[in-house]
Amino acid sequence: MTVSMRARSRAEAHRAATPLELFFDLCFVVAVAQTGRQLVHALAEGRPGHGVTGYLMLFFAVWLAWLNFSWFSSAYDTDDVLYRVVTLVQIAGVLILAAGVPRAFTAGDFRVVWFGYLVMRLALVSQWLRAAHGAEGAERRTALRYAAGVTACQIGWLALLFLPPGDAPWIFVVMGLLELAVPALAERDRQTSWHPRHIAERYGLFTLIVLGETVSAATVAVQSALDEHHDLGTLLPIAAGGLLLVFAAYWIYFAVPIHLHLRNNRQAFLWGYGHYLVFASAAAVGAGIEVAVEQSAGRAHLPVYGAAACFTVPGALYLFTVWLIHSRHQKRGPAQQLVLPVSALLVLACTFAGRAAVPAAGGVAALAVAVGVTLTARQGTALEEE
């Protein structure tokens, strides 16, 4: 059954992610895994410049596709037959995008990635046009601006197919900025009715998916090394340190009720856009664990400190960006505010521990959680005594 698409209320009670949204997120695991796998290969082969640049570009493509759907669904999800079918088409586009990641990464051939985006964008534009059809006034103009902006950007991405491969990073910078400007331009007269709790939940669920992919990638790497009869005493500290950091990443992210901070577009957009670094660094932690395992097995063309940095840099970046855009809004006092920035610096310093970098960084992350919990408990006790 098809119903008229109307904006949902921002004050709607008990708003939660739907099974279709969960399915949509789950399909992104394939794309995230592809970008991470290509990053591991490039780093292990001693090509960090190519690996990091390619990873940042292609992860941006994956993240942007998820972003476009998530904010639209928060405002206009009707969950009727037409909406479900169009969303499934978008999922098909995601899978096409994922299939094109290896070719784009290794050969600079973005044709499959662009086509996957075309499928997703045609579906998204049809959703915005449907929203415009059921609206009037400023709401209608906002929906039409979104449809026009998304269409123009999709045409702009054609530059990846016709300009030299060496220009790809600059194309991503220019087009990425234009993509991020579309919501601000489209909503200058009227904000869409995205739901703070729903958006916070959607971002939290995607964080879980990225961390889950990190654990999966690390497990496969350790299993592969064990199958080749590598020393268990070398692998266990890497596995334990990586797991500690992932556990800490989960704990730190979900320690604060961020929906209370998302009161308007300015706050929400800065928070939402900043998650590109949160998601990208979380996924890169898994790649760092894999590189550490490869290096311990003698299969990586990287020095010890270089392999260590593949884990500590994304780990430190995750801790710092989660604090910067997410956690600091709920922290009270200088002690609580300093825990994550100082921990990020200490994790980065663990690079110089060489082969012990992964367990050392994992220990620092676990200590950061312990200190944070202690400070929060003390603050709670002090408030009760007042």
Side-chain angles (χ1 to χ4, degrees):
M1 178 180 176
T2 300
V3 299
S4 178
M5 180 173 277
R6 302 289 184 186
R8 300 183 67 154
S9 171
R10 185 171 291 190
E12 183 178 341
H14 310 296
R15 181 74 192 279
T18 65
L20 183 60
E21 289 174 321
L22 298 178
F23 183 45
F24 186 89
D25 289 356
L26 187 61
C27 291
F28 267 84
V29 172
V30 180
V32 171
Q34 286 282 27
T35 58
R37 191 171 300 119
Q38 298 306 314
L39 176 62
V40 171
H41 291 164
L43 293 176
E45 291 169 2
R47 297 183 295 144
H50 170 77
V52 172
T53 301
Y55 174 75
L56 292 176
M57 289 192 299
L58 290 165
F59 195 93
F60 180 86
V62 173
W63 167 77
L64 185 65
W66 178 86
L67 184 85
N68 288 162
F69 169 79
S70 297
W71 287 84
F72 176 86
S73 66
S74 187
Y76 287 102
D77 182 4
T78 57
D79 201 32
D80 61 355
V81 172
L82 182 57
Y83 181 86
R84 290 187 181 189
V85 170
V86 174
T87 300
L88 294 176
V89 171
Q90 288 179 279
I91 290 175
V94 172
L95 299 179
I96 295 171
L97 164 66
V101 165
R103 183 177 296 182
F105 207 104
T106 57
D109 183 354
F110 289 91
R111 286 177 295 178
V112 177
V113 169
W114 187 88
F115 181 71
Y117 245 77
L118 178 64
V119 172
M120 288 186 288
R121 286 304 180 70
L122 288 175
L124 180 64
V125 168
S126 74
Q127 295 278 46
W128 279 116
L129 291 176
R130 185 184 173 197
H133 179 72
E136 57 184 21
E139 181 184 354
R140 176 181 171 82
R141 289 194 297 274
T142 295
L144 290 175
R145 285 174 188 151
Y146 264 112
V150 170
T151 301
C153 286
Q154 182 61 29
I155 295 171
W157 285 112
L158 279 170
L160 286 172
L161 309 186
F162 296 105
L163 294 179
D167 292 334
W170 296 110
I171 295 171
F172 262 88
V173 170
V174 173
M175 290 308 305
L177 291 174
L178 291 176
E179 290 276 7
L180 299 183
V182 168
L185 295 173
E187 301 194 23
R188 66 177 184 269
D189 296 332
R190 181 187 183 278
Q191 294 185 12
T192 53
S193 56
W194 50 267
H195 194 285
R197 280 186 182 272
H198 179 250
I199 282 293
E201 182 187 16
R202 297 285 287 113
Y203 272 74
L205 290 171
F206 199 72
T207 300
L208 289 177
I209 283 177
V210 173
L211 292 176
E213 171 54 31
T214 294
V215 172
S216 175
T219 301
V220 170
V222 173
Q223 179 184 348
S224 174
L226 286 175
D227 290 342
E228 296 178 13
H229 309 291
H230 290 291
D231 182 17
L232 188 62
T234 302
L235 295 176
L236 279 179
I238 296 175
L243 202 57
L244 278 176
L245 195 142
V246 172
F247 286 171
Y250 156 79
W251 192 294
I252 289 165
Y253 187 90
F254 291 97
V256 297
I258 195 61
H259 68 275
L260 300 173
H261 173 68
L262 308 180
R263 293 186 294 269
N264 55 53
N265 274 4
R266 182 178 179 276
Q267 293 169 325
F269 286 175
L270 288 174
W271 175 84
Y273 289 164
H275 270 72
Y276 165 63
L277 292 177
V278 173
F279 294 150
S281 59
V285 166
I289 298 172
E290 289 191 71
V291 171
V293 171
E294 294 280 303
Q295 206 280 333
S296 70
R299 296 196 299 256
H301 302 286
L302 276 176
V304 172
Y305 296 121
C310 292
F311 178 80
T312 58
V313 171
L317 182 61
Y318 177 89
L319 294 177
F320 182 76
T321 52
V322 167
W323 169 78
L324 183 63
I325 69 168
H326 188 78
S327 299
R328 69 182 177 89
H329 303 294
Q330 303 296 325
K331 302 296 183 182
R332 298 293 178 268
Q336 285 192 5
Q337 288 288 6
L338 285 171
V339 171
L340 290 181
V342 170
S343 298
L345 289 174
L346 292 176
V347 166
L348 202 58
C350 288
T351 305
F352 301 101
R355 296 186 186 278
V358 175
V364 169
L367 182 61
V369 171
V371 172
V373 169
T374 301
L375 290 174
T376 301
R378 287 180 178 177
Q379 183 185 46
T381 302
L383 290 174
E384 289 176 1
E385 292 175 351
E386 289 180 356

